[in-house]
Amino acid sequence: MRPFTYTRAKDVAAAVTDIRANSEARFIAGGTNLLDLMKIDVMKPRHLVDITRLALDTIEETDEGGLRLGALVTNADTAYHEQVEKRYPLLSHAILAGATAQLRNKATDAGNLLQRTRCYYFYDTDTACNKREPGTGCSAISGYNRNHAILGHSEHCIATHPSDMAVGLAALDARILVTGPQGERMLPISDLHRLPGNTPEKDTNLGENEIITAIELPPQGFAQHFTYLKNRDRASYAFALVSVAAGLEIEGGVIREARIALGGVAHKPWRRPEAEAMLRGKKASRENFQPVADAYVQGAKGFEHNTFKIELARRSIVRALMTAAKIEE
Amino acid sequence: MEKNTTASVSKEKISLTINGTEQQLEVEVWTTLLDLLREHLQLTGTKKGCDQGQCGACTILLDGNRINSCLSLAVMHDGSEITTIEGLAQGDELHPVQQAFIDHDAFQCGYCTPGQICSTIGLIKEGKAKTVDDIRDLMSGNICRCGAYSNIVKVVQEALERSQQA
Amino acid sequence: MASEVIGKPKNRVDGRKKVTGQARYAAEFSVPDLTYGVVVNSAIARGTIKSIDASEALKLEGVLQVFTHENRTKLAYYDKSYQDMDAPPGSPFRPLYNNQVQFNMQPIALVVAETYELALYAAALVKVEYEQAPHETKFAAQRPYAYEPEEYKSTPPPEPWGSPEEALKNAAHTITEEYAHPSQHHNPIEMHASTVHWEGDGRITVYDKIQGALNSQKYVMGIFGLKEEEVRVLSPFVGGAFGSGLRPQYQLFMAVMAALELKRSVRVVLTRPQMFSFGHRPKTVQRLSLGASADGKLQAVIHEAYAETSRFEDYSEDVIIWPGVLYNCDNVKLSHKLVGLDVYTPLDMRAPGGTTGIFALECAIDELSYKVGMDPMEFRLKNYAEKDQIEDKPFSSKELRECYRQGAEKFGWKNRKQAPRSMREGHQLIGWGVANGAWEATQKPASAKAVLALNGQLTVSSATGDIGTGTYTIMSQIAAESLGLALDKVEFKLGDSSLPKAPLEGGSWTASSVGSAVKKVCNKLGEKLLELAQEIEGSPFKNVKIEEVVFEGGRMHLKNNSSTAIALTEILSRNKTESLQAEADSEPSDEQENYSRYSHSAVFVEVKVDEDLGTVKVTRVVSAIAGGRILNPKTARSQILGGIVWGIGMAMEEYSVMDNQYGRFMNHDLAEYHVPVNADVHDVEVIFVEEKDEIVNPIGAKGLGEIGIVSVAPAIANAIYHATGKRVRDLPITLDKLV
């Protein structure tokens, strides 16, 4: 770990001021990813702004009838929150599919969204990685790429975003509240994370000195028909190879609305609204789900060790939709 | 070689209540709770198995909640209460979960054991485990390389039953 | 004599220390004025270090030194000095010896500082320039150059018997397939660590993570030219090892060197990624050709193993002996070749060779049973080995048939449908598989000392180890039983190089070897007690022979008259003796040599495989073990449970991924190198079948550390085949191989 200076921010404005005043500064809250990366010299902030004392640790109703999750609410408190469990069980399930009880007790909701990739090369400073050190090259493309992207990757980076929670939030069309030097703004979760392109060092579209203050959940929670399906290499405590968050609004056997987000396949949670639209007005059935699954992975390209994800994603989407629709075969 | 005489990292004064005793400490800001316990306070019952949040050996109770102490900067927990494995027994009398680990032979080498025990106590407090499968999943943050899992599950089941009777 | 202690499910005698955090492991001994070392590893697999620039690190206040090949202490010259008690033939790796890089993540520098955090930071500031040379880490590319080593570490392949090729040609049913498993790393949860206490007078006390304190002591003496009395090694608790502690690892070298140079106490703890920078289970590819008659008699076996080794040592393990141990066949050919790669030398990992060879053999046998059209268990029973064909000797005991009988009954094997894909539950395909296995039951020379104190406390000691196996407990039980004492009146000491000699703690031989020494020394102490009792004036034991007395309840009494008795403490007090001690060396008997000695297992597994997604759940395991006398059913069961969990890991998860671009294991942490977690383990049952063996050793126990793992991975692979109809021959069986 490199040496750093440390301050405790007392409110959001102070945090933003503090991060602007220091070069190579980072916010720290749960620290469950940042400290790991600092110990292995992947991240080297010179200044840490401790934001754990900011008043962003509550879950509240919004005017439109949704929920606002404070940025500092822990993953555990979110997943087990009565209103989240009742109205957004998809989110609870997604959060509980990730990490461990210990990590969820400490990791915060905003921190979860900002965790870095689990690419083996990103994690090893003795190898080339464009995300860690732009311009050094991508070792994964020609190396070991089991946990890597099949969609939206670039010749510079094929890393995936590892969060399960983000996949759940993507399916829920959550919104991210941000405060920066220019004031507050709100962006849809689909705009928070980005594809690597030729700047893979940037994981998100947040401005340099911006801080996430809350996550807003719109009223539609798909509490009747949902599932979070996670495929991984062991039964718990492993990152997703392919995960699917699915939410359906079904009336009289007919789908009114469908949301599908994939995890483990791209640099961000993967949505295809045009494919989701294919289900609108259709009967919930395997026959209708299959073309959507095909559309979701259209254009997917795998590498030496992860091509299996394409077919796995297809099958997982169908399974997730079947489960969400409560169709037994 | 000429030494750079400025200290490479700053120190902060914090107060921690560890196993019931409040302590005033001066810590370097880069010191984790785990290293503070093990290297500075000689509380080596809390184990370092990976230092990356990937094994659970360093599990402690922070304000009653189980967390990985390796991924926590000590300086960030000023004012917190910490319980480690050394703080569970009442004198000679073991905490029931400690005794159950012995009775069910829920360990072999013993290295992951303090973390497993703290994790079990945290799990009981959380109150979210209803089934054996829940227990298995919610105890999966503690790797036991010796493979004592099925015995650990028995301990947790027993502790859950005890907590429901209480 | 009826057992009061042995054979009883006693709690671990060290349990209280372990559950209270009082058990201290290598990195946990508090020594004054301690400094911390952090190791820098190479970024390349092969080449030369052009320069190491440590100036930035050394500038920091509190950084004491950066050791490299350029400023290291003077080291021994001959290979012999570096050869530890588990060294394979060859030229051992020498840390910091010169500027040559022989494998990726080779330790090339040690940064020592006043605090751990500072040493870690300073290590990141060390800049290294290399002259890179081409490396070869691709197993397949080097396989054509596989060679037979001049000297095998393992049993050299025996001469073929019968006419295997011809028999194969004439067999009604044959299979020829290749089976592979990748390199795997031990990953005990305690990372390798050494704390060296600089005693101030040139002597050092070393707390090391090792499966045998004597091995570390010998290693340190050899390299640094120290005398026995100058180095004491302690390892009272070891946080798992599974073989990784059979050889001293490089943190020991680093910590000792730094302590001797700086004349300070030094602690070096490896990081989790560094746990992937030394010995590992070698990647192995095995080709098996089997032939059987129409009615299922095994007629030919050709078993060829290709196993990874380093460029500098010829590591080999017993991969190919198993057809001769487990089956009866008249035509057998076995070969074992090594594939040299630019990696660190492989190292024994839980049931080395057995886990590997039995996996391949038991999958192949399973395949053949389907070809023949027989139930896989019936097929195995039909070809049951009545003697060991490798050594051409009878077994000292072998209750494998009973393992099958009890295991099958518990599992409900008779309800199995033979055809693959014939059992299902919704999306889940259900499969039942079986495999059997064996592991050597060896006894090695060992010594022990016993001291009875006036307060009735018996202290027995030997320089063995307890890596979680239960050595403390079972040795205490043996001692307690031998002298008729309560368990809490006995203390067993181990993990100290100053204690009587013991073999490395591995190979499942500790219970038999050290146990025999403990029994012998306690018996000897018993004789001394009798002699002493006879010196008491008016002693009723005058002219009594040792066979005529019994030790029970802290007393010695006549066998035929229990009222003629004396408390052991009274024997001492009446003679005004503070304590009485005995020492003994035990060795395997000559009679053992006339027999082949193995423990056996039969494992039954149920899996549920998601037909669409390929995810596998091992829902049930029944492991039936014939392991001789079970000294403590509680700790014994735990050993077997551990073996089952390891088998699940081997079958489905564990895989050290070699990136050939770098020649480096890439998934070097516990997030990406998957070992089983709690949620991977479901219903597991252990059965110990009764097995009496008076030949194998004086204790009658066969050792249980390894027999529990060997049959598990093949039983899982066989169950997955039964569930899905897919035969996966390369481990681990991850979901992509089943989609």
Side-chain angles (χ1 to χ4, degrees), chain C residues 63-109:
Chain C
V63 172
L64 300 169
Q65 186 54 287
V66 178
F67 292 100
T68 71
H69 63 279
E70 287 169 340
N71 65 349
R72 60 158 170 82
T73 190
K74 190 176 180 309
L75 297 173
Y77 177 74
Y78 293 105
D79 276 343
K80 202 170 170 300
S81 308
Y82 295 81
Q83 266 156 349
D84 66 273
M85 290 157 70
D86 191 39
S91 178
F93 168 65
R94 304 174 178 201
L96 306 192
Y97 196 76
N98 57 28
N99 64 355
Q100 294 302 300
V101 176
Q102 296 170 282
F103 56 94
N104 208 320
M105 293 183 82
Q106 175 177 318
I108 55 172

Coordinates of all heavy atoms in Angstrom, one line a residue, chain C residues 63-109:
Chain C
V63 N 13.2 1.6 6.6 CA 13.5 0.4 5.8 C 15.0 0.1 6.1 O 15.9 0.9 6.1 CB 13.4 0.8 4.3 CG1 14.0 -0.4 3.5 CG2 11.9 1.0 4.0
L64 N 15.2 -1.1 6.6 CA 16.5 -1.5 7.1 C 17.4 -2.1 6.0 O 18.6 -1.8 6.0 CB 16.3 -2.6 8.2 CG 15.5 -2.2 9.4 CD1 15.1 -3.3 10.2 CD2 16.2 -1.1 10.1
Q65 N 16.9 -2.8 5.1 CA 17.7 -3.4 4.1 C 16.8 -4.0 3.0 O 15.7 -4.4 3.2 CB 18.6 -4.5 4.7 CG 19.7 -5.1 3.7 CD 20.6 -4.1 3.1 OE1 20.2 -3.3 2.1 NE2 21.8 -4.0 3.5
V66 N 17.4 -4.1 1.8 CA 16.8 -4.8 0.7 C 17.8 -5.9 0.3 O 18.9 -5.5 -0.2 CB 16.4 -3.9 -0.5 CG1 15.8 -4.7 -1.6 CG2 15.4 -2.8 -0.1
F67 N 17.5 -7.1 0.5 CA 18.4 -8.2 0.2 C 18.2 -8.7 -1.2 O 17.0 -8.9 -1.6 CB 18.3 -9.4 1.2 CG 18.7 -9.0 2.6 CD1 17.8 -8.7 3.5 CD2 20.1 -9.0 2.9 CE1 18.2 -8.4 4.8 CE2 20.5 -8.7 4.2 CZ 19.5 -8.4 5.2
T68 N 19.2 -8.9 -2.0 CA 19.1 -9.4 -3.3 C 20.3 -10.4 -3.5 O 21.1 -10.6 -2.6 CB 19.2 -8.3 -4.4 OG1 20.6 -7.9 -4.4 CG2 18.3 -7.2 -4.1
H69 N 20.4 -11.0 -4.7 CA 21.5 -11.9 -4.9 C 22.8 -11.1 -4.8 O 23.9 -11.7 -4.7 CB 21.4 -12.5 -6.3 CG 21.4 -11.6 -7.5 ND1 20.3 -10.9 -7.9 CD2 22.4 -11.2 -8.3 CE1 20.7 -10.1 -8.9 NE2 21.9 -10.3 -9.2
E70 N 22.8 -9.8 -4.9 CA 24.0 -9.0 -4.9 C 24.6 -8.8 -3.5 O 25.8 -8.6 -3.4 CB 23.8 -7.7 -5.7 CG 23.7 -7.9 -7.2 CD 23.2 -6.6 -7.9 OE1 22.6 -5.8 -7.2 OE2 23.4 -6.6 -9.1
N71 N 23.7 -8.7 -2.6 CA 24.2 -8.4 -1.2 C 23.8 -9.5 -0.2 O 23.8 -9.2 1.0 CB 23.7 -7.0 -0.8 CG 22.2 -7.0 -0.6 OD1 21.5 -7.9 -1.0 ND2 21.6 -5.9 -0.1
R72 N 23.4 -10.6 -0.6 CA 22.9 -11.7 0.3 C 24.2 -12.2 1.1 O 25.3 -11.9 0.7 CB 22.3 -12.8 -0.4 CG 23.3 -13.5 -1.4 CD 22.9 -14.9 -1.8 NE 23.7 -15.4 -2.9 CZ 25.0 -15.9 -2.8 NH1 25.6 -15.9 -1.6 NH2 25.6 -16.3 -3.8
T73 N 23.8 -12.9 2.1 CA 24.9 -13.5 3.0 C 25.6 -14.6 2.2 O 25.1 -15.1 1.2 CB 24.2 -14.0 4.2 OG1 25.2 -14.4 5.1 CG2 23.4 -15.2 4.0
K74 N 26.7 -15.1 2.7 CA 27.4 -16.2 2.0 C 26.6 -17.4 2.2 O 26.1 -17.7 3.3 CB 28.8 -16.3 2.7 CG 29.7 -17.3 1.9 CD 31.1 -17.3 2.6 CE 32.1 -18.2 2.0 NZ 31.6 -19.6 1.7
L75 N 26.5 -18.2 1.1 CA 25.6 -19.4 1.2 C 26.4 -20.6 0.8 O 27.5 -20.5 0.2 CB 24.4 -19.2 0.2 CG 23.5 -18.1 0.5 CD1 22.5 -17.9 -0.7 CD2 22.7 -18.3 1.8
A76 N 25.9 -21.8 1.2 CA 26.5 -23.0 0.9 C 26.7 -23.2 -0.6 O 25.9 -22.6 -1.4 CB 25.7 -24.2 1.5
Y77 N 27.6 -24.0 -1.0 CA 27.9 -24.2 -2.4 C 27.3 -25.4 -3.0 O 26.8 -25.4 -4.1 CB 29.5 -24.3 -2.5 CG 29.9 -24.6 -4.0 CD1 29.9 -23.5 -4.9 CD2 30.4 -25.8 -4.3 CE1 30.3 -23.8 -6.2 CE2 30.8 -26.1 -5.6 CZ 30.7 -25.0 -6.6 OH 31.1 -25.3 -7.9
Y78 N 27.3 -26.5 -2.2 CA 26.8 -27.8 -2.8 C 25.3 -28.0 -2.7 O 24.7 -27.5 -1.8 CB 27.5 -29.0 -2.1 CG 29.0 -29.1 -2.4 CD1 29.9 -28.7 -1.4 CD2 29.4 -29.5 -3.6 CE1 31.2 -28.7 -1.6 CE2 30.8 -29.5 -3.9 CZ 31.7 -29.1 -2.9 OH 33.0 -29.2 -3.1
D79 N 24.7 -28.6 -3.7 CA 23.3 -29.0 -3.7 C 22.9 -29.6 -2.5 O 21.8 -29.4 -1.9 CB 23.0 -29.9 -4.9 CG 22.7 -29.1 -6.2 OD1 22.5 -27.9 -6.1 OD2 22.8 -29.7 -7.3
K80 N 23.7 -30.5 -2.0 CA 23.3 -31.3 -0.8 C 22.9 -30.5 0.4 O 22.0 -30.8 1.1 CB 24.6 -32.2 -0.4 CG 24.3 -33.4 0.4 CD 25.6 -34.2 0.5 CE 25.4 -35.3 1.5 NZ 25.1 -34.9 2.8
S81 N 23.6 -29.3 0.5 CA 23.2 -28.4 1.6 C 21.8 -27.8 1.5 O 21.3 -27.4 2.5 CB 24.2 -27.3 1.6 OG 25.6 -27.8 1.6
Y82 N 21.3 -27.8 0.3 CA 19.9 -27.3 0.1 C 18.9 -28.3 0.1 O 17.7 -28.0 0.0 CB 19.9 -26.5 -1.2 CG 20.8 -25.3 -1.2 CD1 22.2 -25.4 -1.5 CD2 20.3 -24.0 -1.0 CE1 23.0 -24.3 -1.5 CE2 21.1 -22.9 -1.0 CZ 22.5 -23.1 -1.2 OH 23.3 -22.0 -1.2
Q83 N 19.3 -29.6 0.1 CA 18.3 -30.7 0.0 C 17.7 -30.9 1.3 O 18.3 -31.3 2.3 CB 19.0 -31.9 -0.6 CG 18.8 -32.0 -2.1 CD 19.9 -32.8 -2.8 OE1 20.9 -33.2 -2.2 NE2 19.6 -33.1 -4.1
D84 N 16.4 -30.7 1.4 CA 15.7 -31.0 2.6 C 15.2 -32.4 2.6 O 15.5 -33.2 1.7 CB 14.5 -30.0 2.7 CG 13.5 -30.2 1.6 OD1 13.6 -29.7 0.5 OD2 12.5 -31.0 1.9
M85 N 14.5 -32.8 3.7 CA 14.1 -34.2 3.9 C 13.1 -34.7 2.8 O 12.8 -35.9 2.7 CB 13.6 -34.4 5.3 CG 14.6 -34.2 6.3 SD 14.0 -33.8 8.0 CE 13.2 -35.3 8.5
D86 N 12.5 -33.8 2.1 CA 11.5 -34.2 1.1 C 12.0 -33.8 -0.3 O 11.2 -33.7 -1.3 CB 10.1 -33.5 1.4 CG 9.0 -34.1 0.5 OD1 9.0 -35.3 0.3 OD2 8.1 -33.3 0.1
A87 N 13.2 -33.5 -0.5 CA 13.7 -33.0 -1.8 C 13.7 -34.1 -2.8 O 14.2 -35.2 -2.6 CB 15.1 -32.5 -1.7
P88 N 13.2 -33.9 -4.0 CA 13.3 -34.9 -5.1 C 14.7 -34.9 -5.6 O 15.5 -33.9 -5.4 CB 12.3 -34.4 -6.1 CG 11.9 -33.0 -5.8 CD 12.5 -32.7 -4.4
P89 N 15.1 -35.9 -6.4 CA 16.4 -35.9 -7.1 C 16.6 -34.6 -7.9 O 15.6 -34.2 -8.5 CB 16.4 -37.1 -7.9 CG 15.3 -38.0 -7.4 CD 14.3 -37.1 -6.8
G90 N 17.7 -34.1 -7.9 CA 18.0 -32.9 -8.7 C 18.7 -31.8 -7.9 O 19.4 -32.1 -6.9
S91 N 18.6 -30.6 -8.4 CA 19.3 -29.5 -7.8 C 18.3 -28.5 -7.3 O 17.7 -27.7 -8.0 CB 20.1 -28.9 -9.0 OG 20.9 -27.8 -8.5
P92 N 18.2 -28.4 -6.0 CA 17.1 -27.6 -5.4 C 17.3 -26.1 -5.7 O 18.4 -25.6 -5.9 CB 17.3 -27.8 -3.9 CG 18.2 -29.0 -3.7 CD 19.0 -29.1 -4.9
F93 N 16.2 -25.5 -5.8 CA 16.2 -24.0 -6.0 C 16.9 -23.3 -4.8 O 16.7 -23.7 -3.7 CB 14.7 -23.5 -6.1 CG 14.6 -22.0 -6.0 CD1 15.1 -21.2 -7.0 CD2 14.0 -21.4 -5.0 CE1 15.1 -19.9 -7.0 CE2 13.9 -20.0 -4.9 CZ 14.4 -19.2 -5.9
R94 N 17.7 -22.3 -5.2 CA 18.4 -21.6 -4.1 C 17.9 -20.1 -4.2 O 18.3 -19.4 -5.1 CB 19.9 -21.6 -4.4 CG 20.4 -23.0 -4.5 CD 21.9 -23.0 -4.9 NE 22.4 -24.3 -5.0 CZ 23.7 -24.6 -4.9 NH1 24.6 -23.6 -4.8 NH2 24.2 -25.9 -4.9
P95 N 17.2 -19.7 -3.2 CA 16.7 -18.3 -3.2 C 17.9 -17.3 -3.2 O 18.9 -17.5 -2.5 CB 15.9 -18.1 -1.9 CG 15.6 -19.5 -1.5 CD 16.7 -20.4 -2.0
L96 N 17.9 -16.3 -4.0 CA 18.8 -15.2 -4.0 C 20.3 -15.6 -4.3 O 21.2 -15.0 -4.0 CB 18.8 -14.4 -2.7 CG 17.5 -13.8 -2.2 CD1 17.8 -12.8 -1.1 CD2 16.7 -13.1 -3.3
Y97 N 20.4 -16.8 -4.9 CA 21.7 -17.4 -5.1 C 22.5 -16.6 -6.2 O 23.7 -16.3 -6.0 CB 21.7 -18.8 -5.5 CG 23.0 -19.5 -5.3 CD1 23.5 -19.8 -4.0 CD2 23.8 -19.8 -6.4 CE1 24.7 -20.4 -3.8 CE2 25.0 -20.4 -6.2 CZ 25.5 -20.7 -4.9 OH 26.7 -21.3 -4.7
N98 N 21.8 -16.4 -7.3 CA 22.5 -15.6 -8.4 C 21.4 -14.8 -9.2 O 20.3 -14.7 -8.8 CB 23.3 -16.6 -9.3 CG 22.4 -17.7 -9.9 OD1 21.2 -17.5 -10.1 ND2 23.0 -18.8 -10.1
N99 N 21.8 -14.4 -10.4 CA 20.9 -13.5 -11.1 C 20.0 -14.3 -12.1 O 19.3 -13.7 -12.9 CB 21.7 -12.4 -11.9 CG 22.6 -13.1 -13.0 OD1 22.7 -14.3 -13.0 ND2 23.2 -12.3 -13.8
Q100 N 19.9 -15.6 -12.0 CA 19.1 -16.4 -12.9 C 17.7 -16.5 -12.4 O 17.5 -16.8 -11.2 CB 19.7 -17.8 -13.0 CG 21.1 -17.8 -13.7 CD 21.1 -17.2 -15.0 OE1 20.4 -17.7 -15.9 NE2 21.9 -16.1 -15.2
V101 N 16.8 -16.4 -13.3 CA 15.4 -16.6 -13.0 C 15.0 -17.9 -13.6 O 15.1 -18.1 -14.9 CB 14.5 -15.5 -13.6 CG1 13.0 -15.8 -13.3 CG2 14.9 -14.1 -12.9
Q102 N 14.4 -18.8 -12.8 CA 14.1 -20.2 -13.3 C 12.6 -20.4 -13.4 O 12.2 -21.4 -14.0 CB 14.7 -21.2 -12.3 CG 16.2 -21.2 -12.3 CD 16.8 -22.0 -11.1 OE1 16.8 -21.6 -10.0 NE2 17.2 -23.3 -11.5
F103 N 11.8 -19.6 -12.8 CA 10.3 -19.7 -12.9 C 9.7 -18.4 -12.5 O 10.3 -17.5 -11.9 CB 9.8 -20.8 -11.9 CG 10.2 -20.6 -10.5 CD1 9.4 -20.0 -9.6 CD2 11.5 -21.1 -10.0 CE1 9.8 -19.8 -8.2 CE2 11.9 -20.9 -8.7 CZ 11.0 -20.3 -7.8
N104 N 8.5 -18.2 -13.0 CA 7.8 -17.0 -12.7 C 7.4 -16.9 -11.2 O 7.1 -17.9 -10.6 CB 6.5 -16.8 -13.6 CG 6.2 -15.4 -13.8 OD1 6.3 -14.5 -13.0 ND2 5.8 -15.1 -15.1
M105 N 7.4 -15.7 -10.7 CA 7.2 -15.4 -9.3 C 8.3 -16.0 -8.4 O 8.1 -16.2 -7.2 CB 5.8 -15.9 -8.8 CG 4.7 -15.1 -9.4 SD 3.1 -15.7 -8.8 CE 2.9 -14.7 -7.3
Q106 N 9.5 -16.1 -9.0 CA 10.6 -16.6 -8.2 C 11.0 -15.4 -7.2 O 11.0 -14.3 -7.6 CB 11.8 -16.8 -9.1 CG 13.1 -17.1 -8.4 CD 14.2 -17.5 -9.4 OE1 14.0 -18.2 -10.4 NE2 15.4 -16.9 -9.1
P107 N 11.2 -15.8 -6.0 CA 11.6 -14.7 -5.0 C 13.0 -14.2 -5.4 O 13.9 -14.9 -5.6 CB 11.7 -15.5 -3.7 CG 11.9 -16.9 -4.0 CD 11.2 -17.1 -5.3
I108 N 13.1 -12.9 -5.6 CA 14.4 -12.3 -6.0 C 14.9 -11.2 -5.0 O 16.0 -10.7 -5.2 CB 14.2 -11.7 -7.4 CG1 13.1 -10.7 -7.5 CG2 14.1 -12.8 -8.4 CD1 13.1 -10.0 -8.9
A109 N 14.0 -10.8 -4.1 CA 14.5 -9.8 -3.1 C 13.7 -9.8 -1.9 O 12.5 -10.3 -1.9 CB 14.5 -8.4 -3.7

